[in-house]
Coordinates of all heavy atoms in Angstrom, one line a residue:
E3 N -3.9 -28.4 -16.1 CA -3.8 -28.3 -14.6 C -2.5 -27.6 -14.3 O -2.5 -26.8 -13.3 CB -3.8 -29.7 -14.0 CG -5.2 -30.4 -14.1 CD -5.1 -31.8 -13.6 OE1 -4.0 -32.3 -13.3 OE2 -6.2 -32.5 -13.6
L4 N -1.5 -27.9 -15.0 CA -0.2 -27.2 -14.8 C -0.3 -25.7 -15.1 O 0.1 -24.8 -14.3 CB 0.9 -27.8 -15.7 CG 2.3 -27.2 -15.6 CD1 2.8 -27.5 -14.2 CD2 3.2 -27.9 -16.6
N5 N -1.0 -25.4 -16.1 CA -1.3 -24.0 -16.5 C -2.1 -23.3 -15.4 O -1.8 -22.1 -15.0 CB -2.0 -23.9 -17.8 CG -2.1 -22.5 -18.3 OD1 -1.2 -21.8 -18.4 ND2 -3.4 -22.1 -18.6
N6 N -3.1 -24.0 -14.9 CA -3.9 -23.4 -13.8 C -3.1 -23.1 -12.6 O -3.2 -22.1 -11.9 CB -5.1 -24.3 -13.4 CG -6.1 -24.4 -14.5 OD1 -6.2 -23.5 -15.4 ND2 -6.9 -25.5 -14.5
Y7 N -2.1 -24.1 -12.3 CA -1.3 -23.9 -11.1 C -0.4 -22.7 -11.3 O -0.2 -21.9 -10.4 CB -0.4 -25.2 -10.9 CG 0.6 -25.0 -9.8 CD1 0.2 -25.0 -8.5 CD2 1.9 -24.7 -10.1 CE1 1.1 -24.9 -7.4 CE2 2.9 -24.6 -9.1 CZ 2.5 -24.6 -7.8 OH 3.4 -24.4 -6.8
I8 N 0.2 -22.6 -12.5 CA 1.1 -21.5 -12.8 C 0.4 -20.1 -12.7 O 0.8 -19.2 -12.1 CB 1.7 -21.6 -14.2 CG1 2.6 -22.9 -14.3 CG2 2.6 -20.4 -14.6 CD1 3.8 -22.8 -13.4
N9 N -0.9 -20.1 -13.3 CA -1.7 -18.9 -13.2 C -2.0 -18.6 -11.8 O -2.1 -17.4 -11.4 CB -3.0 -19.1 -14.0 CG -2.7 -19.1 -15.5 OD1 -1.7 -18.5 -16.0 ND2 -3.6 -19.7 -16.3
F10 N -2.3 -19.6 -11.0 CA -2.6 -19.4 -9.6 C -1.4 -18.8 -8.9 O -1.6 -17.9 -8.1 CB -3.0 -20.7 -8.9 CG -3.1 -20.7 -7.4 CD1 -4.2 -20.1 -6.8 CD2 -2.1 -21.2 -6.6 CE1 -4.3 -20.0 -5.4 CE2 -2.2 -21.1 -5.3 CZ -3.3 -20.5 -4.7
R11 N -0.2 -19.3 -9.2 CA 1.0 -18.8 -8.6 C 1.2 -17.3 -9.0 O 1.6 -16.5 -8.2 CB 2.2 -19.6 -8.9 CG 2.3 -21.0 -8.2 CD 2.6 -20.9 -6.8 NE 3.8 -20.2 -6.5 CZ 5.0 -20.9 -6.4 NH1 5.0 -22.2 -6.4 NH2 6.1 -20.2 -6.1
V12 N 1.0 -17.1 -10.3 CA 1.2 -15.7 -10.8 C 0.2 -14.8 -10.1 O 0.6 -13.7 -9.7 CB 1.0 -15.7 -12.3 CG1 0.9 -14.2 -12.8 CG2 2.2 -16.4 -13.0
E13 N -1.1 -15.2 -10.0 CA -2.1 -14.4 -9.4 C -1.8 -14.2 -7.9 O -2.0 -13.1 -7.4 CB -3.5 -15.0 -9.6 CG -4.6 -14.1 -9.4 CD -4.7 -13.0 -10.3 OE1 -4.3 -13.1 -11.5 OE2 -5.2 -11.9 -9.9
S14 N -1.4 -15.2 -7.3 CA -1.0 -15.1 -5.9 C 0.1 -14.2 -5.6 O 0.0 -13.3 -4.7 CB -0.7 -16.5 -5.3 OG -1.7 -17.4 -5.4
K15 N 1.1 -14.2 -6.5 CA 2.2 -13.3 -6.3 C 1.8 -11.9 -6.6 O 2.2 -11.0 -5.8 CB 3.3 -13.7 -7.3 CG 4.6 -12.9 -7.2 CD 5.7 -13.4 -8.1 CE 7.0 -12.6 -8.0 NZ 8.0 -13.0 -8.9
R16 N 0.9 -11.7 -7.6 CA 0.4 -10.3 -7.9 C -0.4 -9.8 -6.7 O -0.3 -8.6 -6.3 CB -0.4 -10.4 -9.2 CG -0.9 -9.0 -9.6 CD -1.7 -9.0 -10.8 NE -1.0 -9.5 -12.0 CZ -1.2 -10.6 -12.6 NH1 -2.2 -11.4 -12.2 NH2 -0.5 -11.0 -13.6
N17 N -1.3 -10.7 -6.2 CA -2.1 -10.3 -5.0 C -1.3 -9.9 -3.8 O -1.6 -9.0 -3.0 CB -3.1 -11.4 -4.7 CG -4.2 -11.5 -5.8 OD1 -4.4 -10.5 -6.5 ND2 -4.8 -12.7 -5.9
M18 N -0.2 -10.7 -3.6 CA 0.7 -10.5 -2.5 C 1.3 -9.1 -2.6 O 1.5 -8.4 -1.6 CB 1.7 -11.6 -2.3 CG 1.1 -12.9 -1.8 SD 2.4 -14.2 -1.8 CE 3.5 -13.6 -0.6
E19 N 1.8 -8.8 -3.8 CA 2.4 -7.5 -4.1 C 1.4 -6.4 -3.9 O 1.7 -5.3 -3.3 CB 3.0 -7.5 -5.5 CG 4.2 -8.4 -5.7 CD 4.6 -8.5 -7.1 OE1 3.8 -8.0 -8.0 OE2 5.7 -9.1 -7.4
L20 N 0.2 -6.5 -4.4 CA -0.8 -5.5 -4.2 C -1.2 -5.4 -2.7 O -1.4 -4.2 -2.2 CB -2.1 -5.9 -5.0 CG -2.0 -5.7 -6.5 CD1 -3.2 -6.2 -7.2 CD2 -1.7 -4.3 -6.9
D21 N -1.3 -6.5 -2.0 CA -1.6 -6.5 -0.6 C -0.5 -5.7 0.2 O -0.8 -4.9 1.1 CB -1.7 -7.9 -0.1 CG -2.3 -7.9 1.3 OD1 -3.3 -7.3 1.6 OD2 -1.6 -8.6 2.2
S22 N 0.7 -5.9 -0.2 CA 1.8 -5.2 0.4 C 1.7 -3.7 0.2 O 1.9 -2.9 1.1 CB 3.2 -5.7 -0.1 OG 3.3 -7.1 0.2
L23 N 1.4 -3.3 -1.0 CA 1.2 -1.9 -1.3 C 0.0 -1.3 -0.5 O 0.1 -0.2 0.0 CB 0.9 -1.7 -2.8 CG 2.2 -1.9 -3.7 CD1 1.7 -1.9 -5.2 CD2 3.2 -0.9 -3.5
N24 N -1.1 -2.1 -0.4 CA -2.2 -1.6 0.3 C -1.9 -1.4 1.8 O -2.3 -0.4 2.4 CB -3.4 -2.6 0.2 CG -4.0 -2.6 -1.2 OD1 -3.9 -1.6 -1.9 ND2 -4.6 -3.7 -1.5
K25 N -1.1 -2.4 2.3 CA -0.7 -2.3 3.7 C 0.2 -1.1 4.0 O 0.1 -0.3 5.0 CB 0.0 -3.5 4.2 CG -1.0 -4.7 4.4 CD -0.2 -6.0 4.8 CE -1.2 -7.1 5.0 NZ -0.5 -8.4 5.4
L26 N 1.1 -0.9 3.0 CA 2.0 0.3 3.1 C 1.2 1.6 3.1 O 1.4 2.5 3.8 CB 3.0 0.2 2.0 CG 4.1 1.4 2.0 CD1 4.9 1.3 3.3 CD2 5.0 1.3 0.8
G27 N 0.2 1.6 2.2 CA -0.6 2.8 2.1 C -1.4 3.1 3.3 O -1.6 4.2 3.8
Y28 N -2.0 2.0 3.9 CA -2.7 2.1 5.1 C -1.9 2.5 6.3 O -2.3 3.3 7.1 CB -3.3 0.7 5.4 CG -4.4 0.7 6.5 CD1 -5.7 0.9 6.2 CD2 -4.0 0.6 7.9 CE1 -6.7 0.9 7.2 CE2 -5.0 0.6 8.9 CZ -6.3 0.8 8.5 OH -7.3 0.8 9.5
L29 N -0.6 2.0 6.3 CA 0.3 2.4 7.3 C 0.7 3.9 7.3 O 0.8 4.6 8.3 CB 1.6 1.5 7.2 CG 2.7 1.8 8.2 CD1 2.2 1.4 9.6 CD2 4.0 1.0 7.9
L30 N 0.8 4.4 6.0 CA 1.3 5.8 5.8 C 0.2 6.8 5.8 O 0.4 8.0 5.8 CB 2.1 5.9 4.6 CG 3.4 5.1 4.6 CD1 4.1 5.2 3.2 CD2 4.4 5.5 5.7
L31 N -1.1 6.3 5.7 CA -2.2 7.2 5.5 C -2.3 8.2 6.8 O -2.4 9.4 6.6 CB -3.5 6.5 5.3 CG -4.8 7.3 5.2 CD1 -4.6 8.2 4.0 CD2 -6.0 6.4 5.0
P32 N -2.4 7.7 8.0 CA -2.5 8.6 9.1 C -1.4 9.6 9.2 O -1.6 10.8 9.4 CB -2.6 7.7 10.3 CG -3.1 6.4 9.8 CD -2.5 6.3 8.4
P33 N -0.1 9.2 9.1 CA 1.0 10.2 9.2 C 0.9 11.2 8.1 O 1.2 12.4 8.2 CB 2.3 9.3 9.1 CG 1.9 8.0 9.5 CD 0.4 7.8 9.1
S34 N 0.5 10.7 6.9 CA 0.4 11.6 5.7 C -0.7 12.7 6.0 O -0.5 13.9 5.6 CB 0.0 10.8 4.4 OG 1.0 9.9 4.1
L35 N -1.8 12.3 6.6 CA -2.9 13.3 6.9 C -2.4 14.3 7.9 O -2.6 15.5 7.8 CB -4.1 12.5 7.4 CG -5.3 13.4 7.8 CD1 -5.8 14.1 6.5 CD2 -6.4 12.5 8.4
I36 N -1.7 13.8 9.0 CA -1.2 14.7 10.0 C -0.2 15.6 9.4 O -0.1 16.8 9.7 CB -0.6 13.9 11.2 CG1 -1.7 13.0 11.8 CG2 0.0 14.8 12.2 CD1 -2.9 13.8 12.4
A37 N 0.7 15.0 8.6 CA 1.8 15.9 8.0 C 1.2 16.9 7.1 O 1.7 18.1 7.0 CB 2.7 15.0 7.2
G38 N 0.1 16.6 6.4 CA -0.6 17.5 5.5 C -1.1 18.7 6.3 O -1.0 19.9 5.9
I39 N -1.8 18.4 7.4 CA -2.3 19.5 8.3 C -1.2 20.4 8.8 O -1.3 21.6 8.8 CB -3.2 18.9 9.4 CG1 -4.4 18.1 8.8 CG2 -3.6 20.0 10.4 CD1 -5.1 17.4 9.9
L40 N -0.1 19.7 9.2 CA 1.0 20.5 9.8 C 1.6 21.4 8.7 O 2.0 22.5 8.9 CB 2.1 19.6 10.3 CG 1.7 18.8 11.6 CD1 2.8 17.8 12.0 CD2 1.5 19.8 12.8
G41 N 1.6 20.8 7.5 CA 2.2 21.6 6.4 C 1.4 22.8 6.0 O 2.0 23.8 5.6
M42 N 0.1 22.8 6.1 CA -0.7 23.9 5.8 C -0.6 25.0 6.8 O -0.9 26.2 6.5 CB -2.2 23.5 5.8 CG -2.6 22.6 4.6 SD -4.4 22.3 4.5 CE -4.6 21.4 6.0
N43 N -0.1 24.7 8.1 CA 0.1 25.7 9.1 C 1.5 26.0 9.4 O 1.8 26.5 10.5 CB -0.6 25.2 10.4 CG -2.2 25.1 10.2 OD1 -2.9 26.1 10.3 ND2 -2.6 23.9 9.9
V44 N 2.4 25.7 8.5 CA 3.8 25.9 8.8 C 4.1 27.4 9.0 O 5.0 27.7 9.8 CB 4.7 25.3 7.7 CG1 4.4 26.1 6.3 CG2 6.1 25.4 8.0
G45 N 3.4 28.3 8.4 CA 3.6 29.8 8.6 C 3.3 30.2 10.0 O 4.0 31.0 10.6
N46 N 2.2 29.7 10.5 CA 1.7 30.0 11.8 C 2.7 29.5 12.9 O 2.9 30.1 13.9 CB 0.3 29.5 12.1 CG -0.7 30.2 11.2 OD1 -0.5 31.4 10.9 ND2 -1.8 29.5 10.9
F47 N 3.3 28.3 12.6 CA 4.2 27.7 13.6 C 5.4 28.6 13.7 O 6.0 28.7 14.8 CB 4.6 26.3 13.1 CG 3.5 25.3 13.2 CD1 3.5 24.2 12.3 CD2 2.4 25.5 14.1 CE1 2.5 23.3 12.4 CE2 1.4 24.5 14.1 CZ 1.4 23.4 13.2
D48 N 5.8 29.3 12.7 CA 7.0 30.1 12.8 C 6.8 31.3 13.7 O 7.7 31.8 14.3 CB 7.3 30.7 11.4 CG 7.9 29.6 10.5 OD1 8.3 28.6 11.0 OD2 7.8 29.8 9.2
K49 N 5.5 31.7 13.9 CA 5.2 32.9 14.7 C 4.9 32.6 16.2 O 4.9 33.4 17.0 CB 3.9 33.6 14.2 CG 4.1 34.2 12.8 CD 2.9 34.8 12.2 CE 3.1 35.3 10.8 NZ 1.9 35.9 10.3

């Protein structure tokens, strides 16, 4: 039971870390897409 609890805590911690990464990725996805489009047209912006 103790081992199950420790494994649960380890898994919970790992899931929390992955969830944080997922949220960060979700947060940065729209700006990344917009920045990508802007980057492709940087030459036209200069004109």
Side-chain angles (χ1 to χ4, degrees):
E3 290 173 357
L4 182 62
N5 186 53
N6 290 338
Y7 174 77
I8 296 296
N9 288 337
F10 170 75
R11 287 290 300 268
V12 169
E13 194 64 30
S14 296
K15 186 177 181 181
R16 184 183 294 116
N17 289 337
M18 287 176 65
E19 291 172 350
L20 289 174
D21 189 53
S22 298
L23 288 174
N24 288 336
K25 287 179 178 180
L26 182 61
Y28 192 90
L29 179 67
L30 297 177
L31 180 60
S34 299
L35 181 61
I36 299 302
I39 295 172
L40 291 172
M42 287 188 298
N43 293 280
V44 66
N46 293 329
F47 293 152
D48 290 339
K49 296 176 182 179

